[in-house]
Amino acid sequence: MMSDERKTKMELLKRQSRRKHLVKEMNFLNLKEEPFFNIEDNDLFCKNVFSLLNTRGNKVQLQGDSYKEHIRISIQLLNDTINAIEVIPKQGRLLFFREKEIEAVLVNVNEVFNHLNKLMGLTKFSIGYGDFIIVGEDFNFGLCIERAEYFYEVSVWGLP
């Protein structure tokens, strides 16, 4: 039987491997040297993102006849929102939903907007699996589309 310490170390190594793979998948972006938080900080950051989203009012509900239509309407709204932004923040954290964890990756916001279609696939938003969430590290801005059971909710703040 494996000791807890070894099990923890194995999990850590597997997660580091998944992170390396994610960086390879994002090779079309100019990522910083270390785009990840350490694991505890990452998990706390994600928890804080969801707490913030739970308390936000003024969410726009998007409803279609199917989840595919929800996604299509969401991406259209996302593009319209991005096109209306006058000053794009330099960087933010884009959340990637994976089977075992959510990774908050430090990205150049403009690059995210320029490669939105590719990132919709990578974040798994385009197949209805993950939410689309990009936020400032200090939560000064956010552009989020969350999936609910019968509709999607959009939350935008801090983007002029």
Side-chain angles (χ1 to χ4, degrees):
M1 198 162 140
M2 231 190 303
S3 73
D4 283 349
E5 197 174 305
R6 265 192 61 170
K7 208 179 278 182
T8 304
K9 184 144 179 70
M10 285 292 292
E11 279 310 308
L12 182 67
L13 291 171
K14 285 179 188 171
R15 184 153 181 187
Q16 286 169 338
S17 170
R18 290 191 294 270
R19 283 178 160 194
K20 276 192 185 118
H21 183 72
L22 179 57
V23 167
K24 276 190 189 135
E25 287 181 76
M26 292 188 295
N27 61 2
F28 54 90
L29 295 180
N30 256 324
L31 293 177
K32 295 268 177 260
E33 189 64 43
E34 184 43 70
F36 298 102
F37 282 127
N38 73 42
I39 289 169
E40 292 79 24
D41 290 345
N42 180 83
D43 296 348
L44 181 63
F45 183 84
C46 292
K47 195 187 279 182
N48 289 338
V49 168
F50 293 110
S51 298
L52 177 69
L53 289 174
N54 285 336
T55 59
R56 282 198 61 79
N58 301 340
K59 291 183 182 179
V60 177
Q61 286 190 2
L62 300 178
Q63 204 152 5
D65 296 331
S66 66
Y67 86 93
K68 283 190 172 154
E69 196 173 332
H70 291 10
I71 293 167
R72 190 185 57 71
I73 294 168
S74 298
I75 292 173
Q76 182 59 55
L77 181 70
L78 204 51
N79 280 311
D80 293 347
T81 303
I82 288 167
N83 291 334
I85 298 171
E86 290 169 24
V87 181
I88 294 173
K90 196 165 172 51
Q91 53 185 30
R93 295 255 170 204
L94 181 63
L95 271 52
F96 287 85
F97 292 75
R98 293 300 183 244
E99 284 167 37
K100 297 181 187 305
E101 64 261 332
I102 301 170
E103 296 290 3
V105 182
L106 187 62
V107 291
N108 173 306
V109 178
N110 201 38
E111 284 188 355
V112 168
F113 293 169
N114 288 336
H115 295 285
L116 201 58
N117 284 346
K118 272 187 190 168
L119 286 165
M120 285 293 153
L122 261 185
T123 59
K124 300 192 176 173
F125 182 83
S126 59
I127 57 168
Y129 177 74
D131 299 339
F132 180 84
I133 298 175
I134 186 165
V135 293
E137 278 194 290
D138 52 4
F139 303 109
N140 59 329
F141 77 89
L143 181 54
C144 310
I145 302 174
E146 298 172 273
R147 298 159 308 132
E149 199 169 346
Y150 299 109
F151 54 86
Y152 280 24
E153 285 187 323
V154 179
S155 211
V156 182
W157 69 92
L159 296 170

PDB file of all heavy atoms in Angstrom, residues 40-56:
ATOM      1  N   GLU A  40      -1.938  25.334  -4.209  1.00  0.00           N
ATOM      2  CA  GLU A  40      -2.841  25.845  -3.167  1.00  0.00           C
ATOM      3  C   GLU A  40      -3.405  27.208  -3.573  1.00  0.00           C
ATOM      4  O   GLU A  40      -4.593  27.464  -3.421  1.00  0.00           O
ATOM      5  CB  GLU A  40      -2.127  25.991  -1.811  1.00  0.00           C
ATOM      6  CG  GLU A  40      -1.730  24.682  -1.172  1.00  0.00           C
ATOM      7  CD  GLU A  40      -0.460  24.074  -1.774  1.00  0.00           C
ATOM      8  OE1 GLU A  40       0.373  24.826  -2.353  1.00  0.00           O
ATOM      9  OE2 GLU A  40      -0.300  22.842  -1.686  1.00  0.00           O
ATOM     10  N   ASP A  41      -2.526  28.093  -4.087  1.00  0.00           N
ATOM     11  CA  ASP A  41      -2.970  29.430  -4.501  1.00  0.00           C
ATOM     12  C   ASP A  41      -3.946  29.341  -5.673  1.00  0.00           C
ATOM     13  O   ASP A  41      -4.905  30.106  -5.764  1.00  0.00           O
ATOM     14  CB  ASP A  41      -1.775  30.313  -4.886  1.00  0.00           C
ATOM     15  CG  ASP A  41      -0.921  30.697  -3.679  1.00  0.00           C
ATOM     16  OD1 ASP A  41      -1.393  30.522  -2.534  1.00  0.00           O
ATOM     17  OD2 ASP A  41       0.212  31.160  -3.876  1.00  0.00           O
ATOM     18  N   ASN A  42      -3.687  28.413  -6.586  1.00  0.00           N
ATOM     19  CA  ASN A  42      -4.575  28.215  -7.730  1.00  0.00           C
ATOM     20  C   ASN A  42      -5.978  27.827  -7.247  1.00  0.00           C
ATOM     21  O   ASN A  42      -6.973  28.396  -7.676  1.00  0.00           O
ATOM     22  CB  ASN A  42      -4.024  27.118  -8.642  1.00  0.00           C
ATOM     23  CG  ASN A  42      -4.910  26.881  -9.853  1.00  0.00           C
ATOM     24  OD1 ASN A  42      -4.821  27.586 -10.847  1.00  0.00           O
ATOM     25  ND2 ASN A  42      -5.773  25.883  -9.773  1.00  0.00           N
ATOM     26  N   ASP A  43      -6.026  26.851  -6.340  1.00  0.00           N
ATOM     27  CA  ASP A  43      -7.328  26.373  -5.878  1.00  0.00           C
ATOM     28  C   ASP A  43      -8.075  27.453  -5.092  1.00  0.00           C
ATOM     29  O   ASP A  43      -9.286  27.607  -5.238  1.00  0.00           O
ATOM     30  CB  ASP A  43      -7.155  25.085  -5.064  1.00  0.00           C
ATOM     31  CG  ASP A  43      -6.590  23.958  -5.945  1.00  0.00           C
ATOM     32  OD1 ASP A  43      -6.554  24.121  -7.198  1.00  0.00           O
ATOM     33  OD2 ASP A  43      -6.175  22.928  -5.397  1.00  0.00           O
ATOM     34  N   LEU A  44      -7.330  28.239  -4.314  1.00  0.00           N
ATOM     35  CA  LEU A  44      -7.933  29.340  -3.569  1.00  0.00           C
ATOM     36  C   LEU A  44      -8.437  30.420  -4.528  1.00  0.00           C
ATOM     37  O   LEU A  44      -9.543  30.940  -4.366  1.00  0.00           O
ATOM     38  CB  LEU A  44      -6.915  29.933  -2.581  1.00  0.00           C
ATOM     39  CG  LEU A  44      -7.441  31.077  -1.718  1.00  0.00           C
ATOM     40  CD1 LEU A  44      -8.579  30.584  -0.801  1.00  0.00           C
ATOM     41  CD2 LEU A  44      -6.315  31.669  -0.873  1.00  0.00           C
ATOM     42  N   PHE A  45      -7.638  30.736  -5.547  1.00  0.00           N
ATOM     43  CA  PHE A  45      -8.037  31.731  -6.540  1.00  0.00           C
ATOM     44  C   PHE A  45      -9.343  31.310  -7.217  1.00  0.00           C
ATOM     45  O   PHE A  45     -10.275  32.099  -7.331  1.00  0.00           O
ATOM     46  CB  PHE A  45      -6.928  31.916  -7.584  1.00  0.00           C
ATOM     47  CG  PHE A  45      -7.234  32.986  -8.602  1.00  0.00           C
ATOM     48  CD1 PHE A  45      -6.964  34.319  -8.323  1.00  0.00           C
ATOM     49  CD2 PHE A  45      -7.777  32.661  -9.837  1.00  0.00           C
ATOM     50  CE1 PHE A  45      -7.246  35.311  -9.260  1.00  0.00           C
ATOM     51  CE2 PHE A  45      -8.062  33.645 -10.774  1.00  0.00           C
ATOM     52  CZ  PHE A  45      -7.789  34.976 -10.494  1.00  0.00           C
ATOM     53  N   CYS A  46      -9.418  30.052  -7.641  1.00  0.00           N
ATOM     54  CA  CYS A  46     -10.631  29.549  -8.310  1.00  0.00           C
ATOM     55  C   CYS A  46     -11.830  29.604  -7.364  1.00  0.00           C
ATOM     56  O   CYS A  46     -12.933  29.989  -7.772  1.00  0.00           O
ATOM     57  CB  CYS A  46     -10.404  28.138  -8.835  1.00  0.00           C
ATOM     58  SG  CYS A  46      -9.213  28.090 -10.205  1.00  0.00           S
ATOM     59  N   LYS A  47     -11.615  29.228  -6.121  1.00  0.00           N
ATOM     60  CA  LYS A  47     -12.690  29.285  -5.132  1.00  0.00           C
ATOM     61  C   LYS A  47     -13.188  30.736  -4.984  1.00  0.00           C
ATOM     62  O   LYS A  47     -14.393  30.986  -4.950  1.00  0.00           O
ATOM     63  CB  LYS A  47     -12.171  28.762  -3.782  1.00  0.00           C
ATOM     64  CG  LYS A  47     -13.283  28.437  -2.788  1.00  0.00           C
ATOM     65  CD  LYS A  47     -12.733  28.085  -1.416  1.00  0.00           C
ATOM     66  CE  LYS A  47     -12.266  26.649  -1.334  1.00  0.00           C
ATOM     67  NZ  LYS A  47     -11.775  26.276  -0.009  1.00  0.00           N
ATOM     68  N   ASN A  48     -12.256  31.683  -4.956  1.00  0.00           N
ATOM     69  CA  ASN A  48     -12.620  33.096  -4.846  1.00  0.00           C
ATOM     70  C   ASN A  48     -13.371  33.595  -6.078  1.00  0.00           C
ATOM     71  O   ASN A  48     -14.289  34.404  -5.958  1.00  0.00           O
ATOM     72  CB  ASN A  48     -11.376  33.963  -4.599  1.00  0.00           C
ATOM     73  CG  ASN A  48     -10.817  33.767  -3.201  1.00  0.00           C
ATOM     74  OD1 ASN A  48     -11.526  33.335  -2.289  1.00  0.00           O
ATOM     75  ND2 ASN A  48      -9.546  34.071  -3.028  1.00  0.00           N
ATOM     76  N   VAL A  49     -12.992  33.098  -7.244  1.00  0.00           N
ATOM     77  CA  VAL A  49     -13.699  33.468  -8.479  1.00  0.00           C
ATOM     78  C   VAL A  49     -15.166  33.051  -8.365  1.00  0.00           C
ATOM     79  O   VAL A  49     -16.078  33.838  -8.627  1.00  0.00           O
ATOM     80  CB  VAL A  49     -13.065  32.809  -9.729  1.00  0.00           C
ATOM     81  CG1 VAL A  49     -13.973  32.951 -10.949  1.00  0.00           C
ATOM     82  CG2 VAL A  49     -11.690  33.390 -10.016  1.00  0.00           C
ATOM     83  N   PHE A  50     -15.395  31.800  -7.935  1.00  0.00           N
ATOM     84  CA  PHE A  50     -16.777  31.315  -7.867  1.00  0.00           C
ATOM     85  C   PHE A  50     -17.570  31.994  -6.761  1.00  0.00           C
ATOM     86  O   PHE A  50     -18.765  32.242  -6.926  1.00  0.00           O
ATOM     87  CB  PHE A  50     -16.813  29.787  -7.776  1.00  0.00           C
ATOM     88  CG  PHE A  50     -16.319  29.158  -9.042  1.00  0.00           C
ATOM     89  CD1 PHE A  50     -15.100  28.493  -9.081  1.00  0.00           C
ATOM     90  CD2 PHE A  50     -17.042  29.268 -10.220  1.00  0.00           C
ATOM     91  CE1 PHE A  50     -14.617  27.954 -10.271  1.00  0.00           C
ATOM     92  CE2 PHE A  50     -16.574  28.739 -11.417  1.00  0.00           C
ATOM     93  CZ  PHE A  50     -15.360  28.081 -11.429  1.00  0.00           C
ATOM     94  N   SER A  51     -16.921  32.328  -5.648  1.00  0.00           N
ATOM     95  CA  SER A  51     -17.604  33.078  -4.589  1.00  0.00           C
ATOM     96  C   SER A  51     -18.043  34.428  -5.124  1.00  0.00           C
ATOM     97  O   SER A  51     -19.173  34.863  -4.911  1.00  0.00           O
ATOM     98  CB  SER A  51     -16.676  33.328  -3.394  1.00  0.00           C
ATOM     99  OG  SER A  51     -16.291  32.118  -2.832  1.00  0.00           O
ATOM    100  N   LEU A  52     -17.130  35.095  -5.829  1.00  0.00           N
ATOM    101  CA  LEU A  52     -17.437  36.401  -6.404  1.00  0.00           C
ATOM    102  C   LEU A  52     -18.599  36.285  -7.393  1.00  0.00           C
ATOM    103  O   LEU A  52     -19.541  37.081  -7.351  1.00  0.00           O
ATOM    104  CB  LEU A  52     -16.199  36.968  -7.104  1.00  0.00           C
ATOM    105  CG  LEU A  52     -16.385  38.303  -7.817  1.00  0.00           C
ATOM    106  CD1 LEU A  52     -16.597  39.421  -6.795  1.00  0.00           C
ATOM    107  CD2 LEU A  52     -15.187  38.609  -8.695  1.00  0.00           C
ATOM    108  N   LEU A  53     -18.547  35.290  -8.264  1.00  0.00           N
ATOM    109  CA  LEU A  53     -19.609  35.127  -9.256  1.00  0.00           C
ATOM    110  C   LEU A  53     -20.958  34.834  -8.602  1.00  0.00           C
ATOM    111  O   LEU A  53     -21.999  35.277  -9.089  1.00  0.00           O
ATOM    112  CB  LEU A  53     -19.242  34.032 -10.263  1.00  0.00           C
ATOM    113  CG  LEU A  53     -18.127  34.409 -11.237  1.00  0.00           C
ATOM    114  CD1 LEU A  53     -17.733  33.213 -12.085  1.00  0.00           C
ATOM    115  CD2 LEU A  53     -18.537  35.581 -12.122  1.00  0.00           C
ATOM    116  N   ASN A  54     -20.933  34.088  -7.492  1.00  0.00           N
ATOM    117  CA  ASN A  54     -22.185  33.787  -6.796  1.00  0.00           C
ATOM    118  C   ASN A  54     -22.832  35.023  -6.207  1.00  0.00           C
ATOM    119  O   ASN A  54     -24.046  35.067  -6.047  1.00  0.00           O
ATOM    120  CB  ASN A  54     -21.958  32.749  -5.685  1.00  0.00           C
ATOM    121  CG  ASN A  54     -21.777  31.365  -6.269  1.00  0.00           C
ATOM    122  OD1 ASN A  54     -22.220  31.076  -7.374  1.00  0.00           O
ATOM    123  ND2 ASN A  54     -21.108  30.500  -5.524  1.00  0.00           N
ATOM    124  N   THR A  55     -22.027  36.018  -5.859  1.00  0.00           N
ATOM    125  CA  THR A  55     -22.582  37.216  -5.220  1.00  0.00           C
ATOM    126  C   THR A  55     -22.903  38.322  -6.218  1.00  0.00           C
ATOM    127  O   THR A  55     -23.501  39.319  -5.855  1.00  0.00           O
ATOM    128  CB  THR A  55     -21.596  37.785  -4.165  1.00  0.00           C
ATOM    129  OG1 THR A  55     -20.371  38.111  -4.830  1.00  0.00           O
ATOM    130  CG2 THR A  55     -21.327  36.777  -3.067  1.00  0.00           C
ATOM    131  N   ARG A  56     -22.480  38.150  -7.463  1.00  0.00           N
ATOM    132  CA  ARG A  56     -22.714  39.213  -8.454  1.00  0.00           C
ATOM    133  C   ARG A  56     -24.170  39.256  -8.911  1.00  0.00           C
ATOM    134  O   ARG A  56     -24.760  38.237  -9.220  1.00  0.00           O
ATOM    135  CB  ARG A  56     -21.826  39.011  -9.687  1.00  0.00           C
ATOM    136  CG  ARG A  56     -20.390  39.452  -9.438  1.00  0.00           C
ATOM    137  CD  ARG A  56     -19.640  39.655 -10.732  1.00  0.00           C
ATOM    138  NE  ARG A  56     -20.249  40.684 -11.567  1.00  0.00           N
ATOM    139  CZ  ARG A  56     -20.100  41.994 -11.382  1.00  0.00           C
ATOM    140  NH1 ARG A  56     -19.409  42.447 -10.386  1.00  0.00           N
ATOM    141  NH2 ARG A  56     -20.663  42.851 -12.206  1.00  0.00           N
TER     142      ARG A  56
END
